[in-house]
């Protein structure tokens, strides 16, 4: 049976920091993708609201 590797506190901190960085990058990519998917809908909605606003003006 293999024994789990042991790490120094400094190594554990470095591993933890890298994992946080990886997760943050992944989340940023997911948010960016969501924004790009939503952008056309948001732009169309804003344009429709502007049209309705301008039509309501005397």
């Amino acid at each position: 049976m293999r024994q789990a590797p042991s790490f120094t506190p400094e190594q554990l901190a470095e591993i933890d920091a890298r994992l946080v960085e990886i997760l943050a990058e992944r989340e940023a990519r997911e948010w960016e993708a969501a924004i790009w998917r939503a952008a056309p809908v948001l732009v169309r909605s804003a344009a429709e609201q502007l049209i309705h606003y301008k039509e309501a003006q005397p």
Side-chain angles (χ1 to χ4, degrees):
M1 184 179 281
R2 292 177 52 183
Q3 186 172 355
S6 59
F7 296 100
T8 66
E10 293 81 14
Q11 289 172 320
L12 289 173
E14 186 176 335
I15 291 168
D16 189 47
R18 182 63 183 132
L19 285 174
V20 168
E21 184 179 335
I22 289 168
L23 292 174
E25 289 170 356
R26 180 182 298 166
E27 186 169 350
R29 284 192 306 272
E30 290 171 358
W31 273 102
E32 181 180 14
I35 290 168
W36 279 106
R37 284 191 306 271
V41 175
L42 296 173
V43 169
R44 184 174 50 244
S45 175
E48 289 171 353
Q49 289 179 19
L50 182 60
I51 289 168
H52 292 304
Y53 173 78
K54 288 192 175 234
E55 288 174 347
Q57 298 300 310

